[in-house]
Amino acid sequence: GTDEHGLKIQQAAAAAGMSPPELCEQVSGLFRQALTQAAVSFTDFTRTSEPRHQRAVRHFWGALRNGGALYKGSYEGWYCTPEECFLPESQLAERRDAQGRPCKVSLETGHQVHWTKEENYMFRLSAFRDPLRQWLWDNPHAISPDPFYQRVLGWLEEDLPDLSVSRERSRLQWGIPVPSDSTQTIYVWVDALVNYLSVVGYPESHGEWWPAAHHVVGKDILKFHAVYWPALLMAAGLPPPERIFVHSHWTVHGQKMSKSLGNVIDPAACIGRYTLDGFRYFLLRQGVPERDCDYYDEKVVKLVNSELADALGGLLNRSTAPSINPSNTYPCFSESCFPKLVDYRGTKAVGRASAEDYELVASVASLPLQVASYFEGFKVYKALECIALCVRQTNSFFQRHRPWKLNRKDPAEQLWLDTIIHVTLECLRVYGTLLQPVTPHTADKLLSRLAVEPEERGLSSLTFLPRYNGKPCPFEGRQLGPDTGVLFPRLEKSRQHQIDPRSS
């Protein structure tokens, strides 16, 4: 959804010659469009200008007031409009503005700050230092990855001044008025954070979801989500969210994205350049939450070509090619060629299978649980790393046994050929199933080629190579789906004038 109130929006609308609601309608539409383009599904798209949200905010404010967490006080300090917050001297630097005059800016973002003094409502944040610490000590996984958890604990060791939670209405009209005080507007961050409650039916029906909520936030807004928000919730008589997952930023050729540098990446252009699945795969494969990751065209092309086009696509093409699999079926598995071993370690070879083959089977058998665990822990890049490793192992298996060299007229050779293909297709079925949340179109194409029906694509029912464990395989003997050609098209090398942000 979109947070739509605040001075920044009010000023941007005025500069564009529009009313704030007109600007918000336009911008929220762009976000909706981007999510649709990126194939991101959602159960709700919430906007802070909606009546349901404004009602929730007024109720939340009442809970803070009734709990004695608010008081009126005079506040002055350096205010940063783009970030919508006051900043202490320690987070400021001296610079010169466009006219060469000395000014103060935010150390982190470079945005200019202005000295502001006004009478506002204050939130007793200082009273929540110990409850916040206790919450984090009792829930060591409440904030992850761990470096961000440690950072929040560090903040709670520092000074925790009370928080200004309203602005003078004369200066900020675009926002929700403070109930029973029309001279004040509710501070945009208090308004925005309540979004998490309003979307699940606060104040009546939120109990079905809250507090079992998992927030996914950028590291630059960690303090708002991990200090202010839990304190506000406690003050309103509600528990903090269950988990806060924090991610870092993408840099471009080692530099932070900024409009002034002209190196901002347009996701729509990237989807056009790398395909939707290629771009999603790259971001999720290379995006490590605890540290900034660097983006540049050559890196995307190299990764996507090697792992999606060559390793995964090549494996599907080779194992379903008419020369290898003329009957175009999911062939039978032979226990005599690939007998089950209780412990394969130290084994040279049994039947026709080598020690490395048993290693492959063990790796792929443990993959679904491993991937599910990494997805659950917000380590998508680790899950994809494991899948990529198994894809490489499967390619080695196929290459090692050279099925194209086997004599189809010899019954024993035919059994082994069928077993090689069966094992390979079983591996591919697992990869296709696990990749569905990351590369939906490619996964669908792969599973359709293997004749895996929509109801057979769930993670909970995913069993690998049942015939190895003496159980029936529902796919054995099944006719494969139609050949749809290349699974994933290889990307061309960089066309600098089109995609290199340094040239814009």
Side-chain angles (χ1 to χ4, degrees):
T2 42
D3 301 333
E4 301 187 359
H5 293 132
L7 192 57
K8 178 169 58 173
I9 307 288
Q10 185 175 298
Q11 290 176 351
M18 303 165 84
S19 69
E22 285 171 333
L23 177 69
C24 292
E25 185 67 35
Q26 187 185 84
V27 174
S28 70
L30 291 172
F31 273 97
R32 263 185 187 275
Q33 192 182 328
L35 290 168
T36 304
Q37 276 181 318
V40 175
S41 58
F42 46 87
T43 46
D44 204 312
F45 188 98
T46 179
R47 298 177 58 187
T48 58
S49 55
E50 292 173 341
R52 64 170 174 170
H53 175 70
Q54 301 196 25
R55 181 172 160 269
V57 171
R58 287 194 291 270
H59 192 278
F60 190 82
W61 184 275
L64 294 176
R65 186 188 56 221
N66 297 342
L70 302 178
Y71 65 93
K72 214 163 185 186
S74 187
Y75 195 89
E76 59 182 314
W78 294 102
Y79 192 73
C80 178
T81 301
E83 294 165 53
E84 295 284 16
C85 65
F86 285 96
L87 294 172
E89 286 282 353
S90 61
Q91 289 176 26
L92 301 177
E94 298 280 348
R95 295 279 187 276
R96 294 198 171 269
D97 66 15
Q99 282 73 45
R101 295 172 301 212
C103 67
K104 284 188 185 286
V105 299
S106 161
L107 255 180
E108 180 152 347
T109 64
H111 293 135
Q112 199 169 336
V113 297
H114 302 278
W115 188 259
T116 305
K117 182 178 181 178
E118 58 185 41
E119 191 178 46
N120 300 140
Y121 284 93
M122 305 293 292
F123 170 63
R124 298 183 197 280
L125 181 63
S126 52
F128 289 88
R129 181 200 300 274
D130 289 339
L132 286 170
R133 272 194 194 136
Q134 196 60 51
W135 163 60
L136 290 176
W137 289 336
D138 292 345
N139 300 280
H141 300 297
I143 299 164
S144 59
D146 187 63
F148 298 113
Y149 173 81
Q150 299 300 338
R151 189 180 299 178
V152 176
L153 280 177
W155 284 335
L156 295 175
E157 294 302 315
E158 297 168 10
D159 190 28
L160 203 64
D162 287 350
L163 185 66
S164 166
V165 287
S166 71
R167 300 288 179 263
E168 283 180 0
R169 191 87 186 151
S170 57
R171 199 163 68 89
L172 175 60
Q173 297 85 43
W174 180 238
I176 302 170
V178 167
S180 71
D181 187 348
S182 58
T183 68
Q184 296 279 314
T185 300
I186 295 174
Y187 173 43
V188 63
W189 267 104
V190 175
D191 160 4
L193 288 162
V194 176
N195 228 330
Y196 293 118
L197 288 174
S198 61
V199 80
V200 292
Y202 180 82
E204 291 88 16
S205 54
H206 59 285
E208 194 180 329
W209 279 94
W210 200 269
H214 291 192
H215 297 344
V216 179
V217 306
K219 66 176 185 178
D220 52 328
I221 50 174
L222 179 59
K223 187 173 272 185
F224 295 99
H225 281 83
V227 177
Y228 302 161
W229 179 224
L232 287 162
L233 285 162
M234 289 173 183
L238 291 163
E242 198 171 279
R243 297 287 296 273
I244 299 170
F245 291 117
V246 190
H247 64 79
S248 299
H249 295 159
W250 282 99
T251 56
V252 177
H253 288 282
Q255 288 182 300
K256 191 171 179 178
M257 282 192 221
S258 88
K259 285 179 185 167
S260 56
L261 284 175
N263 67 345
V264 175
I265 298 297
D266 173 7
C270 292
I271 290 168
R273 162 94 174 107
Y274 309 119
T275 76
L276 172 62
D277 279 11
F279 192 45
R280 283 170 63 115
Y281 185 81
F282 171 78
L283 293 177
L284 291 166
R285 172 81 166 88
Q286 293 284 298
V288 179
E290 53 263 52
R291 63 174 184 270
D292 288 351
C293 299
D294 201 32
Y295 168 97
Y296 52 93
D297 178 75
E298 298 85 345
K299 192 178 184 181
V300 188
V301 170
K302 191 176 174 186
L303 178 91
V304 171
N305 277 349
S306 97
E307 294 190 359
L308 288 185
D310 299 346
L312 188 66
L315 185 62
L316 178 68
N317 282 354
R318 295 166 84 194
S319 56
T320 57
S323 56
I324 291 281
N325 187 353
S327 63
N328 196 41
T329 55
Y330 214 99
C332 295
F333 177 86
S334 162
E335 287 95 335
S336 60
C337 292
F338 208 134
K340 182 174 172 61
L341 291 183
V342 178
D343 186 2
Y344 66 87
R345 281 162 290 221
T347 304
K348 293 272 188 293
V350 180
R352 300 287 296 258
S354 68
E356 295 100 318
D357 301 341
Y358 284 99
E359 278 170 30
L360 167 70
V361 167
S363 297
V364 182
S366 64
L367 191 63
L369 271 180
Q370 208 175 16
V371 166
S373 161
Y374 281 136
F375 277 175
E376 195 67 32
F378 196 52
K379 292 181 178 170
V380 181
Y381 73 103
K382 281 271 192 203
L384 296 183
E385 203 175 278
C386 292
I387 294 171
L389 192 64
C390 283
V391 172
R392 279 203 297 278
Q393 267 183 288
T394 316
N395 269 304
S396 299
F397 163 76
F398 199 82
Q399 189 66 29
R400 184 164 57 246
H401 294 300
R402 302 173 175 268
W404 56 92
K405 295 271 193 189
L406 295 172
N407 179 6
R408 226 179 277 283
K409 294 193 173 99
D410 179 338
E413 297 272 275
Q414 179 69 53
L415 272 183
W416 179 225
L417 172 62
D418 286 348
T419 302
I420 294 167
I421 297 170
H422 182 98
V423 171
T424 306
L425 298 187
E426 275 291 278
C427 291
L428 281 165
R429 182 173 65 83
V430 170
Y431 309 147
T433 305
L434 297 176
L435 284 169
Q436 288 174 111
V438 178
T439 55
H441 302 303
T442 304
D444 174 58
K445 200 171 174 182
L446 192 159
L447 293 171
S448 297
R449 179 72 176 107
L450 300 182
V452 182
E453 298 296 336
E455 64 275 9
E456 297 172 317
R457 299 180 181 188
L459 184 60
S460 56
S461 59
L462 181 58
T463 50
F464 168 65
L465 205 57
R467 283 294 308 275
Y468 177 73
N469 294 301
K471 293 177 183 154
C473 173
F475 304 97
E476 204 169 53
R478 191 182 287 189
Q479 194 69 27
L480 293 181
D483 181 2
T484 50
V486 176
L487 178 69
F488 192 92
R490 276 184 66 81
L491 300 173
E492 293 172 31
K493 292 242 171 74
S494 173
R495 293 169 300 200
Q496 288 288 346
H497 67 286
Q498 286 187 16
I499 50 77
D500 190 333
R502 292 171 299 183
S503 64
S504 55

